[in-house]
Amino acid sequence: MDRDYTKDYIELSTAFRKSEASTKSIEELYDLLYELESTNRTKQDDIVFSNIYSLLGFHESAYEVFKTVADLTNRKEATKLYVMEGKAKSHKDNFIIKDVRKYREKKEQPKLELSDFVKSKDNKNKFKIANKSIVVFNKLTEKGKVSVYLPSEHIENYLDKIFDYINWLSNCQIELIDFYNNECNEDRANKDWYDTLEVYRAEIIIDDSGEVFCSISGGDDFYKDHLLDIEITNDKITLMNYNG
């Protein structure tokens, strides 16, 4: 007997709303989503697929699926498609409810070598890690989004310090959660908050005395339409605030 995805969706979406998006209800919706991704779907299954995307905040994905099956002669479906198109344009898939399970998987820091650091054309003391995705806060950053500023252009003199610091940045869970909860009078940060942080850019600065300063631009699930700016001196978080 074929599975009734519509019935399952109604039950899971009801539980999701009643629990105010509990972790369990989110994981169950994602499990249904993953199953639908890998099955041969009927038109009704695609409608369920689109509805799950929409509920989890994937508005662009929800629209792309629904427009392939919407009956434009049906006024209700045509109106729904129009509303979904507007959300797809304004929100895209930028404000999703995340499946925390995927973000908890430990990321391995790539092995770095001198050749991975590319000197800036505009500043001889600035280097970018252009060809490898660096792990910061257990998140893989985009290639080229981690930069290093040095007292001189001789990066070979600072490699050990840079490698050690990048390895430290790979997992600062306790430091970040403690600082947020002690200094930011907002929602309470926890492991889920840390696991779903996003990292857009990181700049590491080593001064003449050997001190290391780091500036990180990212985002979190508390304020999805704001940047989260983080500043660190050596291994101490010194600033964390929202921007935008």
Side-chain angles (χ1 to χ4, degrees):
M1 183 177 177
D2 292 336
R3 182 169 178 177
D4 188 345
Y5 289 110
T6 300
K7 179 176 178 292
D8 291 340
Y9 170 72
I10 292 171
E11 292 176 355
L12 295 179
S13 62
T14 299
F16 172 84
R17 293 186 177 97
K18 284 185 176 180
S19 67
E20 297 182 346
S22 68
T23 300
K24 181 174 183 290
S25 69
I26 292 169
E27 290 178 354
E28 288 177 338
L29 279 169
Y30 266 105
D31 288 340
L32 185 58
L33 181 73
Y34 299 147
E35 184 169 339
L36 282 164
E37 282 178 340
S38 60
T39 193
N40 292 322
R41 298 185 298 274
T42 65
K43 174 182 176 179
Q44 185 56 39
D45 294 340
D46 269 331
I47 292 173
V48 172
F49 194 36
S50 173
N51 287 342
I52 298 173
Y53 268 139
S54 183
L55 195 60
L56 292 172
F58 294 87
H59 295 294
E60 187 172 29
S61 296
Y63 168 71
E64 291 297 331
V65 172
F66 189 67
K67 76 177 183 180
T68 66
V69 295
D71 179 2
L72 298 184
T73 65
N74 181 308
R75 184 176 179 182
K76 184 177 179 181
E77 291 192 15
T79 300
K80 179 180 178 180
L81 185 65
Y82 175 78
V83 173
M84 291 177 71
E85 183 180 18
K87 279 196 171 183
K89 290 178 178 177
S90 61
H91 290 67
K92 299 188 180 297
D93 288 345
N94 294 333
F95 305 103
I96 66 170
I97 297 172
K98 297 167 184 169
D99 183 356
V100 179
R101 295 171 296 182
K102 285 195 168 183
Y103 292 85
R104 283 187 177 146
E105 297 171 359
K106 181 174 174 53
K107 312 298 188 302
E108 292 298 325
Q109 192 70 270
K111 180 177 174 58
L112 290 172
E113 300 175 354
L114 178 60
S115 59
D116 293 317
F117 294 84
V118 178
K119 186 183 294 187
S120 169
K121 294 179 181 178
D122 302 322
N123 184 342
K124 65 181 182 180
N125 293 357
K126 176 184 176 181
F127 298 81
K128 277 192 175 183
I129 305 174
N131 301 315
K132 291 182 179 176
S133 296
I134 301 304
V135 177
V136 177
F137 306 159
N138 199 37
K139 312 296 180 299
L140 280 171
T141 61
E142 289 184 24
K143 294 177 182 178
K145 294 299 182 181
V146 176
S147 301
V148 180
Y149 295 81
L150 301 172
S152 78
E153 60 184 301
H154 300 293
I155 188 172
E156 61 275 9
N157 296 334
Y158 300 92
L159 283 179
D160 287 344
K161 182 178 282 288
I162 293 169
F163 293 162
D164 288 344
Y165 199 74
I166 286 176
N167 285 331
W168 180 82
L169 282 176
S170 67
N171 193 352
C172 307
Q173 177 181 306
I174 294 173
E175 293 87 345
L176 286 170
I177 292 174
D178 286 349
F179 187 91
Y180 190 97
N181 288 334
N182 290 329
E183 303 295 334
C184 302
N185 296 319
E186 306 290 347
D187 301 272
R188 296 292 292 176
N190 56 20
K191 192 172 185 297
D192 286 352
W193 172 83
Y194 174 81
D195 288 332
T196 54
L197 284 173
E198 296 183 25
V199 177
Y200 307 132
R201 176 188 55 77
E203 294 181 348
I204 300 168
I205 303 168
I206 301 177
D207 70 8
D208 291 315
S209 68
E211 282 208 300
V212 184
F213 304 91
C214 184
S215 173
I216 294 172
S217 178
D220 70 4
D221 279 353
F222 290 156
Y223 293 91
K224 294 184 179 181
D225 56 345
H226 288 64
L227 292 174
L228 179 61
D229 292 328
I230 301 169
E231 293 184 6
I232 307 170
T233 299
N234 295 320
D235 60 354
K236 302 294 183 184
I237 315 294
T238 56
L239 177 72
M240 193 181 294
N241 65 267
Y242 292 102
N243 184 7

